[in-house]
Amino acid sequence: LVQNAGNLYVATGGASRDIWEGDNTNSTWDPTTAGLTTDPTDMVEFLGYCWVAQGEVNVMRRRLLSTGTWSTGTVPAVFLASGAVGTANGNTLWRSDNINELYWTVDGTTWSGPLYAGDTNTLIRSLLIWDNRLYIGKDDGLYVAQDGRVNQLFDFSFARDPNNFKWMRVWQGAIYFPIGSGLYRLIG
C-alpha cells in the first residue's frame, strides 16, 4: 500500500496485475495501467513517485503521483523502503536485489552499493526503515544497516523459514515480525 494526498494505491498480481487507486471520488478502485510485466513484489512512495518492484529479473515501474504518468525504471528490485537512514543519508530509497544485495539512491536515478546482508544462502524477505536504521529480514535473522555497514541483530538460523520476517511492520513504537508460526516484536 502507498498513500499520497488522500489517495491510496494497492497492487494486485495474477490475471488482474495492475496498480489500483482509491481516490474517494467513488466507491470503486480504479486501475492505473501500470504496465507491469510480472506480479508486483513491493511498492513505496519516494520523491513524489510510487515505485513498484517486480522482482530481481524485471526493472521497477514508477508513477509520478502529481500527473499519473508511468515510466520504466532502470534497475530491478524485490523489496523497497524509503526514509532517513543513519546520520549522512537523509531521505533515501533502498532496494533489495539478487538474494542479499542492497542498493540505495537519494535522487531516484543514481544508485550506490551494494551492501551485503548476510550470506547468499538466505533470501531477503522484507525491508523496513525505523529509528534511522534499515532493518533487513531474512530467513535466518534480522539485520540492520546503518552508516555503511550491515550487522546481524538477531540470529534465527535455528528456525530458518521462508516466512520469517515477511511483512515486518512498525506499530505503536515496536517492529512486529513473524518467525515460524509466531509473531514477535522488537521494542525501541
Side-chain angles (χ1 to χ4, degrees):
L1 293 171
V2 169
Q3 182 178 355
N4 177 269
N7 296 345
L8 186 63
Y9 299 89
V10 297
T12 58
S16 61
R17 180 183 305 137
D18 209 340
I19 305 300
W20 301 79
E21 178 181 27
D23 60 10
N24 292 322
T25 62
N26 54 44
S27 60
T28 62
W29 288 92
D30 302 315
T32 66
T33 315
L36 300 175
T37 55
T38 188
D39 288 350
T41 56
D42 203 0
M43 57 194 287
V44 70
E45 181 191 357
F46 179 71
L47 295 180
Y49 286 89
C50 175
W51 296 77
V52 182
Q54 300 186 93
E56 65 182 55
V57 175
N58 298 295
V59 296
M60 290 186 284
R61 299 277 294 154
R62 65 183 191 172
R63 182 177 194 217
L64 183 58
L65 294 170
S66 62
T67 65
T69 306
W70 282 99
S71 60
T72 302
T74 58
V75 294
V78 179
F79 294 104
L80 302 166
S82 68
V85 175
T87 56
N89 287 339
N91 195 23
T92 305
L93 175 62
W94 291 83
R95 67 181 173 93
S96 69
D97 181 26
N98 196 22
I99 299 176
N100 69 334
E101 295 177 2
L102 299 165
Y103 298 87
W104 64 95
T105 182
V106 294
D107 63 10
T109 57
T110 307
W111 291 92
S112 299
L115 286 177
Y116 297 97
D119 59 33
T120 58
N121 294 323
T122 53
L123 298 172
I124 292 174
R125 300 298 180 181
S126 62
L127 298 177
L128 175 73
I129 294 176
W130 182 56
D131 196 24
N132 288 328
R133 295 179 180 171
L134 175 68
Y135 289 85
I136 305 112
K138 295 185 69 173
D139 295 359
D140 68 340
L142 183 62
Y143 296 77
V144 64
Q146 185 178 19
D147 298 327
R149 293 186 319 265
V150 177
N151 296 308
Q152 189 175 44
L153 190 60
F154 295 110
D155 181 0
F156 286 97
S157 58
F158 61 90
R160 283 179 195 259
D161 190 282
N163 292 312
N164 288 353
F165 297 100
K166 277 191 174 179
W167 309 110
M168 281 193 302
R169 293 291 183 258
V170 172
W171 185 61
Q172 294 188 351
I175 298 178
Y176 288 82
F177 51 89
I179 299 294
S181 60
L183 182 63
Y184 291 75
R185 73 177 177 178
L186 173 64
I187 301 173

Short mmCIF file of all heavy atoms in Angstrom, two decimals, residues 108-142:
data_model
loop_
_atom_site.label_atom_id
_atom_site.label_comp_id
_atom_site.label_asym_id
_atom_site.label_seq_id
_atom_site.Cartn_x
_atom_site.Cartn_y
_atom_site.Cartn_z
N GLY A 108 16.81 9.20 -6.94
CA GLY A 108 15.92 8.39 -7.75
C GLY A 108 16.52 7.89 -9.05
O GLY A 108 15.88 7.12 -9.76
N THR A 109 17.74 8.31 -9.36
CA THR A 109 18.36 7.87 -10.62
C THR A 109 19.76 7.29 -10.42
O THR A 109 20.13 6.35 -11.11
CB THR A 109 18.46 9.03 -11.63
OG1 THR A 109 19.19 10.11 -11.04
CG2 THR A 109 17.09 9.53 -12.03
N THR A 110 20.54 7.83 -9.51
CA THR A 110 21.90 7.37 -9.28
C THR A 110 21.92 6.39 -8.12
O THR A 110 21.64 6.78 -6.99
CB THR A 110 22.84 8.56 -8.97
OG1 THR A 110 22.70 9.54 -10.00
CG2 THR A 110 24.28 8.10 -8.89
N TRP A 111 22.28 5.13 -8.40
CA TRP A 111 22.26 4.08 -7.38
C TRP A 111 23.65 3.81 -6.86
O TRP A 111 24.61 3.77 -7.63
CB TRP A 111 21.66 2.80 -7.96
CG TRP A 111 20.20 2.95 -8.24
CD1 TRP A 111 19.62 3.35 -9.40
CD2 TRP A 111 19.14 2.75 -7.31
NE1 TRP A 111 18.25 3.40 -9.27
CE2 TRP A 111 17.93 3.03 -7.99
CE3 TRP A 111 19.08 2.36 -5.98
CZ2 TRP A 111 16.68 2.93 -7.38
CZ3 TRP A 111 17.84 2.24 -5.38
CH2 TRP A 111 16.66 2.54 -6.07
N SER A 112 23.75 3.62 -5.56
CA SER A 112 25.02 3.26 -4.91
C SER A 112 24.89 1.85 -4.35
O SER A 112 23.80 1.37 -4.09
CB SER A 112 25.34 4.23 -3.77
OG SER A 112 25.48 5.53 -4.26
N GLY A 113 26.01 1.22 -4.11
CA GLY A 113 26.01 -0.11 -3.50
C GLY A 113 26.81 -1.08 -4.34
O GLY A 113 27.45 -0.69 -5.30
N PRO A 114 26.77 -2.32 -3.97
CA PRO A 114 25.89 -2.92 -2.98
C PRO A 114 26.48 -2.98 -1.58
O PRO A 114 27.69 -2.93 -1.40
CB PRO A 114 25.70 -4.34 -3.52
CG PRO A 114 27.00 -4.67 -4.15
CD PRO A 114 27.48 -3.36 -4.74
N LEU A 115 25.59 -3.08 -0.61
CA LEU A 115 25.91 -3.56 0.72
C LEU A 115 25.36 -4.98 0.77
O LEU A 115 24.34 -5.28 0.15
CB LEU A 115 25.22 -2.73 1.80
CG LEU A 115 25.75 -1.35 2.09
CD1 LEU A 115 24.86 -0.66 3.14
CD2 LEU A 115 27.16 -1.40 2.57
N TYR A 116 26.02 -5.85 1.51
CA TYR A 116 25.58 -7.25 1.59
C TYR A 116 24.99 -7.54 2.96
O TYR A 116 25.61 -7.24 3.98
CB TYR A 116 26.75 -8.19 1.31
CG TYR A 116 27.29 -8.01 -0.10
CD1 TYR A 116 28.40 -7.21 -0.34
CD2 TYR A 116 26.65 -8.62 -1.17
CE1 TYR A 116 28.87 -7.04 -1.63
CE2 TYR A 116 27.13 -8.46 -2.46
CZ TYR A 116 28.24 -7.66 -2.68
OH TYR A 116 28.70 -7.48 -3.96
N ALA A 117 23.80 -8.14 2.96
CA ALA A 117 23.14 -8.55 4.20
C ALA A 117 23.26 -10.06 4.32
O ALA A 117 22.56 -10.80 3.63
CB ALA A 117 21.68 -8.13 4.19
N GLY A 118 24.14 -10.51 5.18
CA GLY A 118 24.31 -11.94 5.40
C GLY A 118 24.90 -12.65 4.20
O GLY A 118 25.55 -12.05 3.36
N ASP A 119 24.64 -13.95 4.13
CA ASP A 119 25.22 -14.77 3.07
C ASP A 119 24.23 -14.95 1.92
O ASP A 119 23.12 -14.47 1.96
CB ASP A 119 25.66 -16.13 3.62
CG ASP A 119 24.51 -16.90 4.24
OD1 ASP A 119 23.37 -16.79 3.76
OD2 ASP A 119 24.76 -17.64 5.21
N THR A 120 24.67 -15.67 0.89
CA THR A 120 23.83 -15.89 -0.28
C THR A 120 22.98 -17.15 -0.16
O THR A 120 22.37 -17.58 -1.13
CB THR A 120 24.69 -15.98 -1.55
OG1 THR A 120 25.64 -17.05 -1.38
CG2 THR A 120 25.41 -14.68 -1.82
N ASN A 121 22.90 -17.74 1.02
CA ASN A 121 22.08 -18.94 1.22
C ASN A 121 20.67 -18.62 1.68
O ASN A 121 19.83 -19.51 1.76
CB ASN A 121 22.73 -19.87 2.25
CG ASN A 121 24.04 -20.43 1.74
OD1 ASN A 121 24.18 -20.73 0.57
ND2 ASN A 121 25.01 -20.54 2.63
N THR A 122 20.41 -17.35 2.03
CA THR A 122 19.08 -16.97 2.51
C THR A 122 18.63 -15.69 1.83
O THR A 122 19.41 -14.73 1.70
CB THR A 122 19.07 -16.76 4.04
OG1 THR A 122 20.10 -15.84 4.38
CG2 THR A 122 19.29 -18.06 4.77
N LEU A 123 17.39 -15.66 1.43
CA LEU A 123 16.83 -14.52 0.72
C LEU A 123 16.40 -13.40 1.67
O LEU A 123 16.01 -13.67 2.80
CB LEU A 123 15.60 -14.95 -0.08
CG LEU A 123 15.82 -15.98 -1.17
CD1 LEU A 123 14.48 -16.43 -1.73
CD2 LEU A 123 16.69 -15.42 -2.27
N ILE A 124 16.46 -12.18 1.18
CA ILE A 124 15.85 -11.06 1.89
C ILE A 124 14.35 -11.19 1.72
O ILE A 124 13.85 -11.39 0.62
CB ILE A 124 16.36 -9.71 1.34
CG1 ILE A 124 17.85 -9.53 1.68
CG2 ILE A 124 15.52 -8.55 1.89
CD1 ILE A 124 18.48 -8.31 1.06
N ARG A 125 13.60 -11.09 2.83
CA ARG A 125 12.14 -11.23 2.82
C ARG A 125 11.40 -9.93 3.05
O ARG A 125 10.21 -9.83 2.79
CB ARG A 125 11.70 -12.25 3.87
CG ARG A 125 12.26 -13.63 3.66
CD ARG A 125 11.81 -14.24 2.36
NE ARG A 125 12.37 -15.58 2.19
CZ ARG A 125 12.15 -16.33 1.14
NH1 ARG A 125 11.42 -15.88 0.16
NH2 ARG A 125 12.69 -17.53 1.07
N SER A 126 12.11 -8.90 3.57
CA SER A 126 11.47 -7.60 3.76
C SER A 126 12.50 -6.56 4.14
O SER A 126 13.57 -6.87 4.65
CB SER A 126 10.36 -7.67 4.82
OG SER A 126 10.89 -8.03 6.07
N LEU A 127 12.14 -5.30 3.89
CA LEU A 127 12.93 -4.13 4.28
C LEU A 127 12.00 -3.18 5.04
O LEU A 127 10.83 -3.04 4.69
CB LEU A 127 13.48 -3.39 3.06
CG LEU A 127 14.44 -4.13 2.14
CD1 LEU A 127 14.81 -3.25 0.95
CD2 LEU A 127 15.68 -4.56 2.89
N LEU A 128 12.57 -2.52 6.05
CA LEU A 128 11.78 -1.58 6.85
C LEU A 128 12.71 -0.53 7.43
O LEU A 128 13.76 -0.86 7.97
CB LEU A 128 11.08 -2.34 7.98
CG LEU A 128 10.30 -1.50 8.99
CD1 LEU A 128 9.01 -1.00 8.35
CD2 LEU A 128 9.99 -2.32 10.22
N ILE A 129 12.33 0.72 7.30
CA ILE A 129 13.09 1.80 7.92
C ILE A 129 12.37 2.23 9.19
O ILE A 129 11.17 2.53 9.18
CB ILE A 129 13.28 2.98 6.96
CG1 ILE A 129 14.17 2.55 5.79
CG2 ILE A 129 13.88 4.18 7.69
CD1 ILE A 129 14.36 3.59 4.73
N TRP A 130 13.14 2.24 10.28
CA TRP A 130 12.60 2.63 11.58
C TRP A 130 13.75 3.15 12.43
O TRP A 130 14.83 2.57 12.46
CB TRP A 130 11.92 1.43 12.24
CG TRP A 130 11.28 1.73 13.57
CD1 TRP A 130 10.35 2.68 13.84
CD2 TRP A 130 11.53 1.04 14.80
NE1 TRP A 130 9.99 2.63 15.16
CE2 TRP A 130 10.71 1.63 15.77
CE3 TRP A 130 12.37 -0.01 15.16
CZ2 TRP A 130 10.70 1.21 17.09
CZ3 TRP A 130 12.34 -0.43 16.47
CH2 TRP A 130 11.52 0.17 17.42
N ASP A 131 13.53 4.26 13.09
CA ASP A 131 14.51 4.82 14.02
C ASP A 131 15.87 5.04 13.35
O ASP A 131 16.92 4.68 13.90
CB ASP A 131 14.64 3.90 15.24
CG ASP A 131 15.32 4.58 16.41
OD1 ASP A 131 15.27 5.83 16.47
OD2 ASP A 131 15.90 3.88 17.26
N ASN A 132 15.87 5.61 12.15
CA ASN A 132 17.08 5.93 11.38
C ASN A 132 17.93 4.71 11.04
O ASN A 132 19.14 4.83 10.85
CB ASN A 132 17.94 6.97 12.09
CG ASN A 132 17.31 8.34 12.04
OD1 ASN A 132 16.63 8.68 11.07
ND2 ASN A 132 17.50 9.11 13.08
N ARG A 133 17.30 3.55 10.96
CA ARG A 133 18.01 2.33 10.56
C ARG A 133 17.19 1.59 9.51
O ARG A 133 15.96 1.65 9.53
CB ARG A 133 18.22 1.39 11.75
CG ARG A 133 19.11 1.95 12.81
CD ARG A 133 19.23 0.96 13.92
NE ARG A 133 20.10 1.48 14.97
CZ ARG A 133 20.25 0.91 16.13
NH1 ARG A 133 19.59 -0.18 16.43
NH2 ARG A 133 21.05 1.43 17.03
N LEU A 134 17.89 0.88 8.66
CA LEU A 134 17.23 -0.01 7.71
C LEU A 134 17.29 -1.42 8.27
O LEU A 134 18.37 -1.95 8.53
CB LEU A 134 17.94 0.02 6.35
CG LEU A 134 17.41 -0.96 5.31
CD1 LEU A 134 16.00 -0.57 4.86
CD2 LEU A 134 18.35 -1.05 4.12
N TYR A 135 16.11 -2.00 8.52
CA TYR A 135 16.02 -3.36 9.02
C TYR A 135 15.79 -4.29 7.84
O TYR A 135 14.94 -4.03 6.98
CB TYR A 135 14.89 -3.50 10.05
CG TYR A 135 15.21 -2.81 11.35
CD1 TYR A 135 14.95 -1.46 11.52
CD2 TYR A 135 15.80 -3.51 12.38
CE1 TYR A 135 15.27 -0.82 12.71
CE2 TYR A 135 16.12 -2.88 13.58
CZ TYR A 135 15.85 -1.53 13.72
OH TYR A 135 16.17 -0.89 14.90
N ILE A 136 16.56 -5.37 7.79
CA ILE A 136 16.51 -6.33 6.70
C ILE A 136 16.14 -7.68 7.30
O ILE A 136 16.88 -8.25 8.10
CB ILE A 136 17.88 -6.44 5.99
CG1 ILE A 136 18.35 -5.06 5.52
CG2 ILE A 136 17.81 -7.42 4.83
CD1 ILE A 136 19.54 -4.56 6.24
N GLY A 137 14.98 -8.20 6.92
CA GLY A 137 14.54 -9.50 7.40
C GLY A 137 14.91 -10.58 6.40
O GLY A 137 14.62 -10.45 5.21
N LYS A 138 15.57 -11.63 6.89
CA LYS A 138 15.95 -12.77 6.05
C LYS A 138 15.46 -14.06 6.72
O LYS A 138 15.06 -14.04 7.87
CB LYS A 138 17.47 -12.82 5.86
CG LYS A 138 18.02 -11.61 5.09
CD LYS A 138 19.49 -11.76 4.82
CE LYS A 138 19.71 -12.88 3.82
NZ LYS A 138 21.07 -13.02 3.36
N ASP A 139 15.54 -15.16 5.99
CA ASP A 139 15.11 -16.44 6.54
C ASP A 139 15.83 -16.77 7.84
O ASP A 139 15.28 -17.43 8.71
CB ASP A 139 15.41 -17.57 5.55
CG ASP A 139 14.61 -17.48 4.27
OD1 ASP A 139 13.80 -16.55 4.14
OD2 ASP A 139 14.81 -18.35 3.40
N ASP A 140 17.07 -16.31 7.98
CA ASP A 140 17.90 -16.72 9.11
C ASP A 140 18.11 -15.67 10.18
O ASP A 140 18.80 -15.92 11.16
CB ASP A 140 19.28 -17.17 8.61
CG ASP A 140 20.09 -16.02 8.03
OD1 ASP A 140 19.51 -14.98 7.67
OD2 ASP A 140 21.32 -16.17 7.93
N GLY A 141 17.54 -14.46 10.02
CA GLY A 141 17.75 -13.47 11.06
C GLY A 141 17.36 -12.06 10.65
O GLY A 141 16.97 -11.81 9.52
N LEU A 142 17.48 -11.17 11.61
CA LEU A 142 17.20 -9.76 11.40
C LEU A 142 18.52 -9.01 11.34
O LEU A 142 19.36 -9.14 12.24
CB LEU A 142 16.33 -9.22 12.55
CG LEU A 142 15.90 -7.76 12.44
CD1 LEU A 142 15.04 -7.54 11.18
CD2 LEU A 142 15.12 -7.35 13.68
#
